[in-house]
Amino acid sequence: MDLQGCLNRTTFQSLKLTSTPSSSSSPFLFPSLYKTKTPTIHSPKFPFPRLTKPLPTSSASVVQTSPATTNISSEQGGKPQWKATIDFKWIKDNKETVAANIKNRNSDADLELILNLYDKLFILQKEVERVRGERNVVANKMKGKLEPSERQILIEQGKNLKEGLIALEEDLVKLNDELQREAQCIPNLTHPDVPIGGEDSSTIRKMVGSVPKFSFPVKDHLQLGKELDLFDFDAAAEVSGSKFYYLKNEAVLLEMALLNWTLSEVMKRGFIPLTTPEIVRSSIVEKCGFQPRAKNTQVYSINDSDQCLIGTAEIPVGGLHMDSILAGSILPLKYVAFSHCFRTEAGAAGTATRGLYRVHQFSKIEMFIFCRPEESDYYHDELIKIEEDMFSSLGLHFKTLDMASEDLGAPAYRKFDVEAWMPGLERFGEISSASNCTDYQSRRLGIRYRPSEALVPGPKKSKGNLAPPQFVHTLNATACAVPRMIICLLENYQQEDGSVLIPEPLRPFMGGLNVITRKS
Amino acid sequence: MNAGKNLKEGLIALEEDLVKLNDELQREAQCIPNLTHPDVPIGGEDSSTIRKMVGSVPKFSFPVKDHLQLGKELDLFDFDAAAEVSGSKFYYLKNEAVLLEMALLNWTLSEVMKRGFIPLTTPEIVRSSIVEKCGFQPRAKNTQVYSINDSDQCLIGTAEIPVGGLHMDSILAGSILPLKYVAFSHCFRTEAGAAGTATRGLYRVHQFSKIEMFIFCRPEESDYYHDELIKIEEDMFSSLGLHFKTLDMASEDLGAPAYRKFDVEAWMPGLERFGEISSASNCTDYQSRRLGIRYRPSEALVPGPKKSKGNLAPPQFVHTLNATACAVPRMIICLLENYQQEDGSVLIPEPLRPFMGGLNVITRKS
């Protein structure tokens, strides 16, 4: 079946014709999976408000003394529930860079304390080794033939050393935990081209289109939605609370069209489609750089459980390959994931929260890439280009921003946000976000890859043939956040008679519907 | 004055007792289940009767695989990673399984809309009182309902709940009945207390996509719409080529809200038995009495600015019905297991092909 031909057929019937069955179907055009490159695998926006206390990060190699653990802990003061693989030596050797970065990011991380703890740790480790050594000496002495009194003295010494050692080892564990906890607050490094400063320092990378001129008074999406019977916020406020909504009639078709079209567009570019769990363990949320337990957290928690609702598919997709070593040959690994997202929006108030602009639940298509470190800049450009292409084909006027250092949040090395013109709001509103998290998330999720295969293929791959595993880089980008897109489409495509035109690319996915009009 | 004071105190005490008694009466009475349709078989599961049987058990000339094995070979799901990320009974769908889910959702929405149902998407977080008003028990031990921390909110186990809530505490104009909705939502269920082989793979999961049909109608029409709903389901399952039976559920299996309930069970070759794929209930006025949903039977006889109450018949409670149009994971099990081929590939049934970009078959990746 010719894909192009399919594009002109319709699926959903126009709502005006509900009494007459439509002609046959078709439409969704998901390109055949055979046409896209699908690696064999086996194995793994929307803006979050700034984190008040950034979670840690770091770079290069590993120097930790204990393996990643999974115990329960409180946020501060307890044993960390899991451990990021942090390169303390690198931090110490590059402390000026790290300090400057912490400052530029407006982070609370306490570098002084961290370096202090690291030095203490080193000293304590030496002391522990020394005491162990002494204990061995005593143990060895006891192997020989001895007078009972001599033996007694040695036994005493041995006992003292053992108690002393136990105390030192306890201190070592506590010190390690504290160091780990503090160091995990260090934000990711920053790309050299990122503007330093607050929101106002963000620079414009690209501008597409221009502010549309209307020859009639412009309505906002809420008013359009009311007149065209597309949403119900009032009933949702009764049933669920504020910032919840029902979509009705053509708005449902619009959501489905956006989801289907976006999935199709991104799959064409070689991304593997996924649907994900929307309930995840809170440790996974933390490993991705979010803070489920912070005051004013964006994260909903489930009662009597360590589980949370996801605020973005980035979380379960990142978790897909946690604690794994991927074969280098399958990188880059590109996923396009559809999920519902849930956000408490605690602390958000004001007019920027009317209608669909800020809601507790929404559908989103997210792109996620696992790649080699040297390729993440390249894929960051690829992701933003995909977004810009899609928003352009929908006819939106938008700008792409290179977000300033104070606006990055802890995980991102660099972040591009797209803001589209919303005539009803009379300003730009964010519709997507694309972040390069380099190895921040992979050091926490434990995702590595083997740089090259064994030189001598065969049944026995000796470890000598294989290069040691490295942390992958991870990137994530919003392909489509449905409510913000609905705002853009309704407000930009409104007509004088109160109807709303459907942009070309979405029409085949709406059963051929060209325009949303008032119900009679 | 003394007499007055005594009477007043006595009255206060009596009024307190009245309130307590009322509350207790209400609480106890709310436990009374809905009445039962006269044709409903009396008894337990084994008494349910078969209303309709469509198709026959497919014969395979090769050893049949279950959906889990097919999914593994065709790289369609990941349960292991989901167990790490979320816990057991969670899953990722991958590759063609995602296309299959989208195709099922799109096709089902389209089929049901053709029949005059208004499409909806709904909140998936609702106040627990709404859940209770629909006849579920969020606070019971072994409840199916997930609750949100520090809040009176829950996750929905079915779109029936927010759709019922859509018109709570309202009086609908009789002229808009029947009001028919088709709602797409994700559903969340704790599945507490469910164990055993009937829970492998996609058969029993904590989260899934579902398209639900919901009707608000006049009391005298609910039997008619119950038949309409089950017919829509049977038509859809037939066009997908499934072998299934429709059961008239016995009295002990109805649950509190349903006056009558039809379940459809489809043949699942991998399980070697029938598995439930949908349920259609007529809840008569059980939910509407709790949600406060009424309608005005007829308009004023004399139209004009002043509608005196004398012209209008008093509001009556509507009847509500709900029916599963498509529960995605169970449908995926049916399609994979029934349409498997000897070479390990899976055919896509005709009606879904246009919704899958023309894909006819799911094959192994090279």
Side-chain angles (χ1 to χ4, degrees):
Chain A
M1 173 186 264
D2 176 50
L3 279 179
Q4 280 321 109
C6 292
L7 276 169
N8 298 321
R9 279 192 255 136
T10 63
T11 8
F12 286 135
Q13 141 147 28
S14 159
L15 281 171
K16 281 192 191 154
L17 304 171
T18 42
S19 49
T20 43
S22 73
S23 53
S24 54
S25 34
S26 180
F28 306 100
L29 289 200
F30 289 125
S32 160
L33 278 172
Y34 311 116
K35 292 186 182 159
T36 58
K37 191 171 127 199
T38 10
T40 16
I41 299 173
H42 33 114
S43 71
K45 233 139 163 285
F46 237 64
F48 260 64
R50 307 302 154 237
L51 299 173
T52 46
K53 190 164 168 28
L55 278 182
T57 164
S58 169
S59 27
S61 53
V62 182
V63 174
Q64 60 176 33
T65 48
S66 28
T69 51
T70 44
N71 342 317
I72 307 297
S73 81
S74 52
E75 22 180 4
Q76 251 100 8
K79 196 172 177 59
Q81 190 181 357
W82 47 269
K83 291 188 176 183
T85 304
I86 293 180
D87 189 349
F88 296 100
K89 184 165 184 311
W90 190 92
I91 293 175
K92 183 175 162 125
D93 292 343
N94 293 274
K95 63 182 180 196
E96 286 84 20
T97 305
V98 176
N101 189 50
I102 286 174
K103 180 158 177 288
N104 289 336
R105 296 266 197 151
N106 211 13
S107 154
D108 289 341
D110 190 341
L111 188 56
E112 284 281 325
L113 176 59
I114 292 164
L115 292 174
N116 224 308
L117 290 172
Y118 183 62
D119 287 340
K120 272 200 195 145
L121 186 69
F122 188 75
I123 292 168
L124 190 54
Q125 274 170 333
K126 282 266 170 296
E127 180 63 11
V128 165
E129 276 164 40
R130 190 185 67 76
V131 173
R132 279 197 189 130
E134 281 189 23
R135 201 170 159 223
N136 285 341
V137 165
V138 168
N140 280 336
K141 282 189 189 160
M142 290 213 282
K143 287 181 187 159
K145 210 164 129 146
L146 296 166
E147 292 292 324
S149 58
E150 282 181 322
R151 183 165 288 275
Q152 194 52 39
I153 291 171
L154 284 176
I155 287 173
E156 278 298 316
Q157 281 182 339
K159 189 166 152 232
N160 287 340
L161 285 170
K162 177 177 170 178
E163 282 171 9
L165 193 61
I166 287 173
L168 283 174
E169 281 170 344
E170 275 175 20
D171 286 344
L172 194 62
V173 166
K174 280 201 204 122
L175 196 58
N176 239 325
D177 286 349
E178 195 188 350
L179 173 60
Q180 189 71 28
R181 211 172 40 245
E182 292 296 326
Q184 279 177 190
C185 295
I186 301 176
N188 202 357
L189 288 176
T190 310
H191 188 292
D193 294 349
V194 166
I196 307 300
E199 301 198 31
D200 301 328
S201 303
S202 301
T203 54
I204 299 180
R205 271 174 63 90
K206 192 181 181 92
M207 180 82 88
V208 170
S210 52
V211 175
K213 294 205 185 334
F214 291 89
S215 55
F216 53 89
V218 149
K219 299 171 187 166
D220 74 358
H221 72 279
L222 269 177
Q223 194 183 351
L224 288 160
K226 189 164 286 191
E227 293 173 4
L228 296 167
D229 198 18
L230 298 176
F231 332 124
D232 194 333
F233 278 87
D234 296 334
E238 289 301 311
V239 170
S240 307
S242 69
K243 298 199 188 67
F244 282 99
Y245 57 98
Y246 295 81
L247 292 184
K248 299 174 66 171
N249 295 317
E250 291 96 332
V252 176
L253 302 191
L254 200 46
E255 163 155 343
M256 298 305 290
L258 281 164
L259 296 174
N260 289 315
W261 175 73
T262 303
L263 264 174
S264 161
E265 285 295 298
V266 180
M267 281 175 59
K268 275 181 197 164
R269 288 155 161 97
F271 287 68
I272 298 161
L274 270 188
T275 66
T276 78
E278 290 158 11
I279 293 179
V280 298
R281 300 183 204 270
S282 60
S283 58
I284 313 295
V285 178
E286 288 168 354
K287 290 175 184 183
C288 289
F290 302 100
Q291 293 179 298
R293 295 192 186 84
K295 186 170 172 271
N296 270 1
T297 177
Q298 275 282 5
V299 183
Y300 281 103
S301 289
I302 305 279
N303 222 1
D304 294 333
S305 137
D306 71 337
Q307 293 168 318
C308 309
L309 294 182
I310 62 172
T312 164
E314 174 192 341
I315 297 169
V317 179
L320 185 56
H321 293 300
M322 61 188 282
D323 299 325
S324 304
I325 300 180
L326 308 174
S329 55
I330 69 172
L331 300 180
L333 197 40
K334 304 180 183 179
Y335 290 109
V336 56
F338 165 45
S339 79
H340 287 183
C341 303
F342 301 91
R343 301 185 183 189
T344 65
E345 298 296 351
T351 40
T353 67
R354 260 167 63 81
L356 290 174
Y357 194 82
R358 198 173 297 282
V359 289
H360 290 304
Q361 171 193 323
F362 57 97
S363 295
K364 180 164 68 61
I365 307 252
E366 184 81 356
M367 297 181 283
F368 198 104
I369 296 183
F370 298 84
C371 69
R372 293 158 195 277
E374 60 273 20
E375 295 177 345
S376 56
D377 280 336
Y378 173 83
Y379 288 115
H380 198 197
D381 284 336
E382 181 175 296
L383 286 170
I384 192 64
K385 176 108 191 349
I386 294 174
E387 291 185 4
E388 290 166 347
D389 284 350
M390 289 194 298
F391 304 147
S392 295
S393 42
L394 289 179
L396 302 181
H397 166 42
F398 64 90
K399 57 184 178 180
T400 305
L401 302 170
D402 198 345
M403 302 309 283
S405 59
E406 288 173 29
D407 256 13
L408 291 178
Y413 175 69
R414 192 176 197 185
K415 189 157 93 83
F416 299 141
D417 278 7
V418 176
E419 298 188 356
W421 183 255
M422 298 180 175
L425 267 174
E426 284 174 297
R427 61 173 179 79
F428 286 95
E430 185 180 329
I431 58 170
S432 85
S433 190
S435 297
N436 177 0
C437 297
T438 64
D439 62 356
Y440 181 99
Q441 294 177 326
S442 57
R443 281 177 176 273
R444 288 157 176 70
L445 291 166
I447 307 174
R448 297 181 291 166
Y449 74 104
R450 233 176 251 294
S452 56
E453 299 301 338
L455 300 164
V456 181
K460 276 205 175 144
K461 285 193 169 108
S462 75
K463 288 224 170 108
N465 280 350
L466 303 168
Q470 306 288 326
F471 287 104
V472 298
H473 277 198
T474 63
L475 301 101
N476 64 81
T478 322
C480 178
V482 170
R484 298 265 170 114
M485 293 303 286
I486 289 183
I487 295 176
C488 286
L489 296 179
L490 291 181
E491 295 187 355
N492 281 290
Y493 283 95
Q494 62 185 292
Q495 308 294 300
E496 187 157 15
D497 64 0
S499 64
V500 173
L501 280 182
I502 306 293
E504 269 296 330
L506 296 180
R507 291 178 186 188
F509 294 83
M510 288 191 64
L513 193 67
N514 292 348
V515 59
I516 302 175
T517 53
R518 291 187 200 234
K519 318 289 173 287
S520 46
Chain B
M1 254 175 50
N2 270 340
K5 188 166 150 228
N6 286 339
L7 284 171
K8 178 176 174 184
E9 281 171 14
L11 195 59
I12 288 174
L14 283 175
E15 281 170 345
E16 276 176 18
D17 286 345
L18 195 62
V19 166
K20 279 200 205 125
L21 196 58
N22 239 327
D23 286 348
E24 195 186 352
L25 173 62
Q26 189 71 28
R27 212 172 40 246
E28 291 298 326
Q30 279 177 192
C31 295
I32 300 175
N34 202 355
L35 289 176
T36 310
H37 189 291
D39 294 349
V40 167
I42 307 299
E45 303 197 30
D46 301 328
S47 304
S48 301
T49 54
I50 298 180
R51 271 174 62 92
K52 191 180 181 96
M53 180 81 89
V54 170
S56 53
V57 175
K59 295 207 184 336
F60 291 88
S61 57
F62 53 89
V64 149
K65 300 172 187 165
D66 74 359
H67 72 279
L68 269 178
Q69 194 183 351
L70 288 160
K72 190 165 282 191
E73 293 173 3
L74 296 167
D75 199 19
L76 299 176
F77 334 124
D78 194 332
F79 278 87
D80 296 334
E84 288 302 309
V85 170
S86 307
S88 69
K89 298 198 188 68
F90 283 99
Y91 57 98
Y92 294 80
L93 291 184
K94 300 173 66 170
N95 295 317
E96 292 95 330
V98 177
L99 301 191
L100 199 46
E101 162 155 344
M102 298 306 291
L104 281 163
L105 295 173
N106 289 315
W107 175 72
T108 303
L109 264 174
S110 162
E111 285 294 299
V112 179
M113 281 174 60
K114 277 181 197 165
R115 290 156 160 96
F117 286 68
I118 298 163
L120 271 187
T121 66
T122 78
E124 289 158 10
I125 292 178
V126 297
R127 299 182 203 272
S128 59
S129 57
I130 314 294
V131 179
E132 288 166 353
K133 289 175 182 180
C134 290
F136 302 98
Q137 293 177 297
R139 293 193 187 82
K141 187 169 172 274
N142 269 1
T143 178
Q144 276 281 5
V145 183
Y146 283 102
S147 290
I148 305 279
N149 220 3
D150 294 332
S151 137
D152 72 337
Q153 293 167 318
C154 309
L155 294 182
I156 62 172
T158 164
E160 172 191 343
I161 299 170
V163 179
L166 186 55
H167 293 300
M168 61 187 284
D169 299 325
S170 304
I171 301 180
L172 308 174
S175 55
I176 70 172
L177 299 180
L179 197 42
K180 303 180 182 180
Y181 290 108
V182 56
F184 165 44
S185 79
H186 286 184
C187 302
F188 302 90
R189 301 184 182 189
T190 64
E191 299 296 350
T197 39
T199 66
R200 259 167 65 80
L202 289 174
Y203 195 83
R204 199 172 297 281
V205 289
H206 290 304
Q207 171 193 324
F208 57 98
S209 295
K210 181 165 66 62
I211 308 253
E212 185 81 356
M213 298 181 283
F214 198 105
I215 296 183
F216 298 84
C217 69
R218 293 158 193 276
E220 59 273 21
E221 295 178 343
S222 56
D223 280 337
Y224 173 82
Y225 288 116
H226 199 197
D227 284 336
E228 180 175 296
L229 286 170
I230 193 63
K231 175 103 190 358
I232 294 174
E233 291 185 4
E234 290 166 347
D235 285 350
M236 289 194 298
F237 303 148
S238 295
S239 40
L240 290 180
L242 302 181
H243 166 43
F244 63 90
K245 58 184 177 179
T246 304
L247 301 170
D248 198 344
M249 302 308 284
S251 59
E252 289 174 26
D253 257 11
L254 292 177
Y259 175 70
R260 193 177 198 184
K261 189 157 90 88
F262 300 141
D263 278 7
V264 176
E265 297 189 356
W267 183 254
M268 298 179 175
L271 267 175
E272 285 175 298
R273 61 170 179 81
F274 286 95
E276 183 182 329
I277 57 169
S278 85
S279 190
S281 297
N282 178 359
C283 296
T284 65
D285 62 355
Y286 183 99
Q287 294 177 328
S288 59
R289 283 178 177 274
R290 286 156 176 72
L291 290 165
I293 308 174
R294 296 182 291 166
Y295 75 104
R296 233 175 248 296
S298 56
E299 298 303 337
L301 301 165
V302 182
K306 276 203 176 151
K307 285 194 168 110
S308 76
K309 288 223 169 112
N311 280 349
L312 301 168
Q316 306 286 327
F317 286 105
V318 298
H319 277 198
T320 62
L321 301 100
N322 64 80
T324 322
C326 177
V328 169
R330 298 266 170 110
M331 293 304 285
I332 290 183
I333 294 176
C334 285
L335 296 179
L336 291 181
E337 295 186 355
N338 281 290
Y339 284 96
Q340 61 184 295
Q341 307 294 300
E342 187 157 16
D343 64 1
S345 63
V346 172
L347 280 181
I348 306 293
E350 267 297 329
L352 297 180
R353 292 178 185 188
F355 294 80
M356 290 191 61
L359 193 66
N360 292 346
V361 60
I362 302 176
T363 53
R364 291 188 199 234
K365 319 290 175 284
S366 49

